[in-house]
Amino acid sequence: MSEQPGSRAYGGANRHHKPKPFAPIDFEPFAGGADPARVSEAAHLAAQALVKRGRDSDDPKVTRRLVKLADEQGLEAIAEMWAESPARSLPGALWRLYALRAATIQNPERISVYFRAGRDTAQVSNVVAGAAEPPGAEEMKTMADAILSGAFDGEFDVALERSAAFCRVVALGQATLADGAEHTNEGHASKLTRNSHQLVKTAEDLEHAANAWRLGELD
């Protein structure tokens, strides 16, 4: 995957909400606003402003505040801005970065189980994702923070590709565990398989967004 720098562009609106519980690696749709056109315009402007604020600043405190935006404002606030945006757009990509971090921070133990189950097979994605060894719960949280931080203080396309690689490792781990549980817990195996397929699609969307960023076409 390329590490060619993308063009700099783009920060956000804040609203106070009580954080909404978020099921790890489950991307449930959130209700959109009133006028779809105005909601879409606001989503794109907020995403552009947020990224611009992070990339224009050399202050690590700014990066930390942006990374913890969903912690402080609630993931629901982020979802209201961006969850309805097309997956292969700037706000759609940012939503996935924040949602993946939230999923990991909420249940790092479970995510680490999935990651360990998939890393040996998905060796290239494991390297790209950049998890420390051994990939336990704390390592998962550290990696999630590092990936999102990279969207603001590193190369945005690389952050997207790392997140996509993370999705692919976890998805493969879920598929592997689903195979093992197929005869003992069919319901759990089916859920793992569905989530695995969903994460692969998320990885594809993030990879497409990374390529669009390098071409100056992600808006």
Side-chain angles (χ1 to χ4, degrees), residues 57-79:
S57 175
D58 294 325
D59 187 349
K61 292 181 180 179
V62 171
T63 300
R64 283 196 296 271
R65 286 199 298 269
L66 293 174
V67 168
K68 295 183 179 297
L69 182 65
D71 298 346
E72 297 168 358
Q73 304 300 325
L75 191 67
E76 184 181 44
I78 306 297

Side-chain angles (χ1 to χ4, degrees), residues 13-70:
N14 295 333
R15 294 175 57 189
H16 291 280
H17 286 267
K18 181 180 179 181
K20 181 174 181 178
F22 190 78
I25 310 302
D26 290 343
F27 293 89
E28 298 296 337
F30 288 77
D35 183 343
R38 296 189 66 180
V39 169
S40 177
E41 180 183 12
H44 283 76
L45 290 174
Q48 290 167 1
L50 193 70
V51 175
K52 185 177 189 302
R53 180 184 178 189
R55 294 175 64 79
D56 283 352
S57 175
D58 294 325
D59 187 349
K61 292 181 180 179
V62 171
T63 300
R64 283 196 296 271
R65 286 199 298 269
L66 293 174
V67 168
K68 295 183 179 297
L69 182 65

Side-chain angles (χ1 to χ4, degrees), residues 83-102:
E84 296 295 328
S85 300
R88 299 182 179 190
S89 67
L90 181 64
L94 272 177
W95 161 241
R96 281 153 182 78
L97 289 179
Y98 274 103
L100 283 165
R101 177 187 177 273

Side-chain angles (χ1 to χ4, degrees), residues 93-129:
L94 272 177
W95 161 241
R96 281 153 182 78
L97 289 179
Y98 274 103
L100 283 165
R101 177 187 177 273
T104 304
I105 297 300
Q106 180 173 325
N107 200 333
E109 292 83 5
R110 185 194 305 182
I111 302 305
S112 68
V113 170
Y114 296 153
F115 195 91
R116 287 195 302 271
R119 64 179 177 138
D120 289 338
T121 304
Q123 293 182 6
V124 174
S125 292
N126 181 31
V127 171
V128 174

